Amino acid sequence: MTGWKPVIGMEVHAELETHSKMFSACPVVDSVTAPPNTAVDPVSLGLPGTLPVINLQAVEYAMMVGLALNCEIPPVNQFARKSYFYPDLPKGYQISQYDRPLCINGWLDVEVTPEGGEPYTKRVRIRRAHLEEDTGKLTHVAGGSLVDYNRAGVPLLEIVTEPDINSAAEAEAYARTLRSILQYLGVNSGDMSKGVLRVEPNISVMHPDDAEFRTRTEVKNLNSLRVLFRATEAEIERQIGLYESGGEVQQATLGWDENKNRLVVQRVKERADEYRYFPEPDLPILEISRAWVAEVSAKLPELPEAKRARFMDELGLNAYDARVLVMEQAVAHFYEAVLAAGANGKSAANWITGSLFSLMNANGFNREDIEKSKITAQQFAELVKLVDGGALNKGTAATVLNTMWETGADPARIVEEQGLAQVSDTGAIAEAVARVLAENESVVQDYLGGKEKLFGALMGQVMRAMAGKGDPQVIKQTLTDLLEARRG
Ligand code: ADP
Ligand code: MG
């Protein structure tokens, strides 16, 4: 198995969340929840005599994505017909783009954290991103297939990379980073389970002696980033296994069987597809002025990478915290709302990436669900401020956070009702320390005799004696003072 190098190029289809479809005023609806065939019109059904009109908002959204991916936007852009026959394609052709796509020659830097390895940055070149229309949706049932044209004609952006990706971890990191950018741009929700974002890796493997790429396969229908990772790993292993046992890889389209947790062959390609592309005669060539590009460019929001750099520069966050806080836009929103409510940046970052994320994991919350928890950003900020201000120690604060998670109550109220306020009163602490020392004479003797590690045990005893509410800093100081006094 040694020496083989995976070669992966990604094709991502992202629906653009415009109000209307790519070539008509027909509304775009949620293709999972809307009743079938309720958002259709003569244009999206491709009825004879209809004419398409370009949705300018879709062009702008696509341009935003292209600019965020460091692409060139060529001055001339043209739609093309891609002909094929399938029941979900009412016109018998899809309006797409061929030799004059909207965006070309870009790149995206992605941070990869391989399992058990050091993080590194990988640059993935973007070959092109072009606009097209989505197809309808088929549902196979006993005795036939049902077709829903709600999705037919929804603006779709296809983003294609060069084969620069060399592992499943890199493929997942690329998709995660791209998804995050689409969410920040507000053009796509990133919900892979609904199919609004569809990620397809093209996979081959290379032997050190190879001068050229080998045959690739394409994996479709991956409905989460986790599945993308698993399916890519499985396919790399399958191909290496085939070559090592003297076999060959056949060009094919594969899918992932969610129930069986394995790859299935959907279609073996015997010859190249023939789409008979030609310029779409019903649409004008779109000339894209530099002024328009500049105008769209000026409208781009702060993107994850810039936000991360700012969190590190302005708030002093470490690279890891900054990254996990920006990756999901919902998390970044929550964090920024916590800051706006007056919490310290570093403390808030620690509490979110630590205790809050653990609570979310334990309760089956994805990161993007952060705003669905009962804890508001305002309340979270209050908790952080209580700790930073010394009113609450960290151990108790974790307990308070648990209660906040369950009840949605204000932290100050929980502290008051449960009597959890931190005790910093030196008198009360000195009393507790003296009591613990008196009750643990032999430990004290061992400590004074050189077993310095026992300090921790004594510290723990005092914390317990004060029901976890004592201020650790004050306890530590008092304990040190009283023990030193014993040395006489
Ligand atoms: P087309 O779809 O027009 O045939 P290509 O075959 O050139 O385009 O590429 C489609 C995708 O497959 C791109 O993302 C590309 O990087 C990737 N790709 C091309 N060749 C290979 C290969 N041998 N192994 C892995 N990925 C590949
Ligand atoms: Mg394609």
Side-chain angles (χ1 to χ4, degrees), residues 8-272:
I8 303 165
M10 302 276 267
E11 289 174 272
V12 171
H13 285 90
E15 282 184 1
L16 298 175
E17 290 176 349
T18 49
H19 295 298
S20 55
K21 291 191 178 176
M22 187 64 230
F23 300 114
S24 73
C26 182
V28 170
V29 296
D30 187 312
S31 70
V32 174
T33 56
N37 297 309
T38 50
V40 291
D41 72 337
V43 173
S44 48
L45 289 176
L47 298 185
T50 57
L51 284 172
V53 176
I54 299 169
N55 180 337
L56 219 55
Q57 181 69 74
V59 178
E60 278 209 9
Y61 278 180
M63 224 195 286
M64 284 164 69
V65 177
L67 291 169
L69 299 177
N70 307 290
C71 289
E72 296 162 31
I73 312 291
V76 175
N77 166 74
Q78 191 172 36
F79 288 93
R81 279 191 191 179
K82 178 180 181 180
S83 305
Y84 64 95
F85 290 92
Y86 206 67
D88 63 11
L89 189 70
K91 292 195 292 293
Y93 61 86
Q94 178 190 31
I95 304 180
S96 180
Q97 299 192 305
Y98 187 53
D99 47 6
R100 288 167 152 181
L102 189 69
C103 318
I104 56 171
N105 299 336
W107 50 266
L108 179 60
D109 282 341
V110 304
E111 174 126 332
V112 189
T113 312
E115 255 166 70
E118 284 294 305
Y120 61 93
T121 303
K122 170 89 188 207
R123 176 158 298 188
V124 178
R125 288 170 300 157
I126 308 291
R127 181 182 290 177
R128 58 187 278 152
H130 68 251
L131 268 170
E132 55 190 30
E133 53 180 335
D134 211 344
T135 59
K137 220 166 60 173
L138 282 178
T139 307
H140 304 289
V141 294
S145 294
L146 303 172
V147 62
D148 173 11
Y149 288 120
N150 282 350
R151 209 178 64 177
V154 169
L156 197 62
L157 185 67
E158 177 171 340
I159 304 158
V160 183
T161 76
E162 295 295 339
D164 289 347
I165 295 167
N166 300 114
S167 68
E170 289 182 5
E172 185 188 343
Y174 168 77
R176 188 182 298 283
T177 309
L178 177 59
R179 184 174 78 157
S180 172
I181 289 173
L182 296 172
Q183 290 172 333
Y184 271 68
L185 291 172
V187 303
N188 182 285
S189 70
D191 192 343
M192 290 176 69
S193 68
K194 279 193 173 169
V196 299
L197 184 66
R198 311 195 283 272
V199 178
E200 295 159 9
N202 291 267
I203 303 169
S204 66
V205 293
M206 253 184 137
H207 192 269
D209 301 335
D210 290 348
E212 284 173 11
F213 291 147
R214 298 194 178 208
T215 304
R216 68 184 157 101
T217 59
E218 189 175 352
V219 189
K220 290 187 182 286
N221 305 335
L222 304 173
N223 60 13
S224 75
L225 293 174
R226 198 64 215 151
V227 168
L228 164 67
F229 178 84
R230 292 219 303 271
T232 304
E233 274 213 323
E235 177 55 7
I236 291 167
E237 267 176 43
R238 187 188 72 94
Q239 291 189 11
I240 294 172
L242 270 172
Y243 288 129
E244 298 259 308
S245 61
E248 282 292 323
V249 170
Q250 271 190 302
Q251 192 171 353
T253 303
L254 309 173
W256 182 256
D257 186 324
E258 194 61 35
N259 300 321
K260 300 200 180 107
N261 235 338
R262 65 179 180 86
L263 291 165
V264 286
V265 177
Q266 292 182 334
R267 181 163 74 105
V268 174
K269 279 197 183 172
E270 267 141 16
R271 56 201 160 87

Side-chain angles (χ1 to χ4, degrees), residues 149-450:
Y149 288 120
N150 282 350
R151 209 178 64 177
V154 169
L156 197 62
L157 185 67
E158 177 171 340
I159 304 158
V160 183
T161 76
E162 295 295 339
D164 289 347
I165 295 167
N166 300 114
S167 68
E170 289 182 5
E172 185 188 343
Y174 168 77
R176 188 182 298 283
T177 309
L178 177 59
R179 184 174 78 157
S180 172
I181 289 173
L182 296 172
Q183 290 172 333
Y184 271 68
L185 291 172
V187 303
N188 182 285
S189 70
D191 192 343
M192 290 176 69
S193 68
K194 279 193 173 169
V196 299
L197 184 66
R198 311 195 283 272
V199 178
E200 295 159 9
N202 291 267
I203 303 169
S204 66
V205 293
M206 253 184 137
H207 192 269
D209 301 335
D210 290 348
E212 284 173 11
F213 291 147
R214 298 194 178 208
T215 304
R216 68 184 157 101
T217 59
E218 189 175 352
V219 189
K220 290 187 182 286
N221 305 335
L222 304 173
N223 60 13
S224 75
L225 293 174
R226 198 64 215 151
V227 168
L228 164 67
F229 178 84
R230 292 219 303 271
T232 304
E233 274 213 323
E235 177 55 7
I236 291 167
E237 267 176 43
R238 187 188 72 94
Q239 291 189 11
I240 294 172
L242 270 172
Y243 288 129
E244 298 259 308
S245 61
E248 282 292 323
V249 170
Q250 271 190 302
Q251 192 171 353
T253 303
L254 309 173
W256 182 256
D257 186 324
E258 194 61 35
N259 300 321
K260 300 200 180 107
N261 235 338
R262 65 179 180 86
L263 291 165
V264 286
V265 177
Q266 292 182 334
R267 181 163 74 105
V268 174
K269 279 197 183 172
E270 267 141 16
R271 56 201 160 87
D273 294 318
E274 183 41 83
Y275 293 125
R276 297 179 291 123
Y277 279 102
F278 66 91
E280 169 57 61
D282 288 342
L283 287 172
I285 283 180
L286 207 56
E287 284 182 21
I288 300 187
S289 73
R290 298 306 89 183
W292 189 16
V293 176
E295 192 188 306
V296 173
S297 183
K299 277 195 274 192
L300 292 183
E302 183 182 45
L303 293 169
E305 196 42 46
K307 201 183 277 294
R308 173 165 91 135
R310 184 166 63 79
F311 283 173
M312 292 174 71
D313 286 354
E314 289 179 4
L315 304 169
L317 301 194
N318 64 41
Y320 174 82
D321 281 355
R323 194 170 80 89
V324 299
L325 289 171
V326 303
M327 190 54 90
E328 287 292 341
Q329 191 184 22
V331 174
H333 275 164
F334 185 81
Y335 178 60
E336 290 188 310
V338 171
L339 295 182
N344 171 274
K346 265 187 165 169
S347 315
N350 285 336
W351 281 98
I352 293 175
T353 60
S355 304
L356 184 59
F357 280 179
S358 328
L359 267 173
M360 287 170 62
N361 289 345
N363 288 279
F365 272 57
N366 291 320
R367 299 270 161 91
E368 65 250 36
D369 298 331
I370 191 165
E371 272 149 2
K372 291 182 195 149
S373 100
K374 288 184 184 156
I375 305 173
T376 67
Q378 182 72 37
Q379 292 171 322
F380 197 85
E382 293 308 323
L383 178 74
V384 174
K385 285 192 276 185
L386 287 174
V387 181
D388 284 351
L392 206 56
N393 74 30
K394 289 190 178 141
T396 329
T399 315
V400 173
L401 186 63
N402 284 331
T403 311
M404 289 165 70
W405 177 275
E406 271 151 31
T407 63
D410 287 339
R413 179 144 166 235
I414 299 169
V415 170
E416 200 188 299
E417 282 181 2
Q418 303 187 10
L420 295 174
Q422 171 160 276
V423 178
S424 307
D425 167 32
T426 44
I429 289 175
E431 203 175 292
V433 171
R435 189 157 19 98
V436 166
L437 293 185
E439 286 166 4
N440 294 276
E441 188 54 33
S442 66
V443 181
V444 172
Q445 287 309 326
D446 288 347
Y447 172 81
L448 294 172

